Structure formats: structure tokens, C-alpha cells
Amino acid sequence: PHPTPPATMIVRTLALLAAVATSASALSSSFVPRSSTLPSASSASTTMKLYDWKRRSADESSLNDVDGSVWTFDTIRPAPGSRKRKARKGRGISAGQGATCGFGMRGQKARSGRPTRAGFEGGQQPLYRRLPKYVGRPTGPGHTKTIFNVIKLDELNGAESGSTVSFDSLFETGAVTKAKHGIHKIVVGREDLAVDGLTVQAHAFTKGAREAIEAKGGKCEILSPTTNEVVAA
């Protein structure tokens, strides 16, 4: 028969097993989060910052009811947080744009009014002076080019003889489409003018177009670019 182990050895073995069990439970509990730290279904809803302080505490539960709401121009509103109000400068240093309003302490760009003119590059040769110049095409500040909507002579062939033709009448008949610019100029087209006795109203005429209209017994009338009234014939 095997000898019976002494009582002290049994006690030590039981104490060792208890210590191992305690350390194992402590080690496993350190990797498992507590129930209080787990996000619940009620606290997991998405929240966003509202920049509009007037809507932070407002009751907008009716706006969230999509099925039971009737949307009109008076009740429709942007989603909370989708639109941000403009920055109010000069309303205190706590706002971030107070005091100097983001323009710094001093310097030319911190003064009132426009600091530099258009095209100014700090003293170096500006772009409009570095580019090559062409005869008849002035560039730089103060030089602007009038852009016309072009109407060709062959687009007038659908009008009746002896009638008065303008952009509005051509647009109504479908001879021309809508114009990008508000002033119109008659130019020579691919085909010759075939209608006699037209009174053409436009803001400008090329030399060739005027001669072609007058050769057919017609008349050219200049319109004002602001009032569209006849100012010269």
C-alpha cells in the first residue's frame, strides 16, 4: 500500500489551488469590461453639434415625424447641423474673430478699404504687363471688351418683306435660340440676305451686314444697351 501523505502537504496543495483559481479569475475580469461601461441601445444614438444656438433647445419632434408631417415652404427646414451661420467678427475675443477680426495688428492689409488695386503683385512686373501686346487688343486695368450676342444675316431670311426684325421677334419665331448676352450684333452669315425692305433693330452692326441690309432696301436701327429703345437709324 502507498504511504498516506501528511496533513501539511494536503493543506499546502489546497492553498496553491485556491491561489491559482483566484489569479485566473482576476486575470479574466481585467479583459472583460464592466456592464456599466458597455454602451446600451438607448445611449448609442448618434448626436451632432448644432451650430445654431436657437435650435439646440427647441422642440423639433414634429420635424422628425416624416410620415405625419405636411411639408410646405413655411415648414421645411434644413437638417440640424447641416448649415452653419456666418462668423460674426468683432464681437469679443472669446468668439475667435474679435478685436482685429482676423486681419492682424497692422500692415497694409489690415487697413480699411481695399489695400491694393486689381492686378497688383507687390511691385513686381504684373501679368498684364508681362504678356505680349497685340494691335487692336488693349489689355490691363481700364480696358474692357464689349461682348455681343451674334445674329447672322441668314437668320433673317425667314422674316416677311418690309417687316421690323429684332432679337425678340426672331426668338418668338424660333429663328434664334436664347442668348447668353443681353446686347445683340448683326454680322454677315454663310448665306446672303434674301429679304427686301427689312427694318433691323440691334445694338450694333458690322460694316458688311449694314451694307447688305441697305442694299436690299432695308434700314438699320441702333438700340440703346440699357433701355432697348431706338437711338439712331
Side-chain angles (χ1 to χ4, degrees):
H2 297 283
T4 303
T8 56
M9 184 177 293
I10 297 175
V11 171
R12 290 178 181 178
T13 304
L14 292 176
L16 181 61
L17 292 176
V20 170
T22 304
S23 61
S25 62
L27 184 63
S28 62
S29 63
S30 62
F31 291 99
V32 178
R34 298 180 181 178
S35 60
S36 60
T37 60
L38 292 175
S40 60
S42 59
S43 63
S45 59
T46 305
T47 59
M48 65 176 64
K49 180 180 179 180
L50 294 182
Y51 292 100
D52 193 352
W53 60 272
K54 292 184 179 180
R55 298 184 62 180
R56 289 177 184 172
S57 58
D59 184 14
E60 297 185 349
S61 57
S62 59
L63 297 179
N64 299 327
D65 186 10
V66 180
D67 298 331
S69 300
V70 178
W71 301 104
T72 61
F73 287 106
D74 299 333
T75 59
I76 190 171
R77 306 181 72 178
S82 62
R83 299 182 65 87
K84 183 179 179 181
R85 291 196 173 203
K86 66 176 182 180
R88 300 175 69 244
K89 296 185 178 183
R91 300 300 190 273
I93 59 175
S94 62
Q97 289 292 334
T100 56
C101 302
F103 288 93
M105 293 294 292
R106 50 193 163 271
Q108 186 181 17
K109 293 184 179 180
R111 312 304 179 187
S112 62
R114 187 166 185 171
T116 58
R117 68 176 187 274
F120 184 70
E121 299 183 15
Q124 73 176 12
Q125 195 73 276
L127 179 64
Y128 68 90
R129 294 193 64 186
R130 296 197 301 267
L131 295 177
K133 307 301 185 295
Y134 298 97
V135 177
R137 295 185 180 182
T139 58
H143 298 282
T144 57
K145 181 175 65 174
T146 305
I147 302 177
F148 293 92
N149 175 49
V150 176
I151 300 177
K152 299 179 181 180
L153 281 179
D154 49 46
E155 296 174 346
L156 308 179
N157 291 332
E160 298 180 358
S161 299
S163 61
T164 301
V165 180
S166 63
F167 173 79
D168 296 334
S169 64
L170 294 174
F171 183 76
E172 291 176 358
T173 57
V176 295
T177 57
K178 61 181 181 180
K180 183 178 180 180
H181 307 287
I183 53 180
H184 314 285
K185 187 174 185 178
I186 306 298
V187 299
V188 178
R190 293 177 179 269
E191 302 177 3
D192 296 334
L193 182 63
V195 185
D196 298 332
L198 287 179
T199 301
V200 185
Q201 296 179 348
H203 300 91
F205 295 85
T206 61
K207 183 179 179 181
R210 181 182 289 272
E211 293 176 353
I213 295 172
E214 294 177 350
K216 287 289 185 177
K219 185 172 62 174
C220 300
E221 294 181 349
I222 303 295
L223 301 179
S224 171
T226 55
T227 62
N228 286 331
E229 296 180 357
V230 179
V231 294

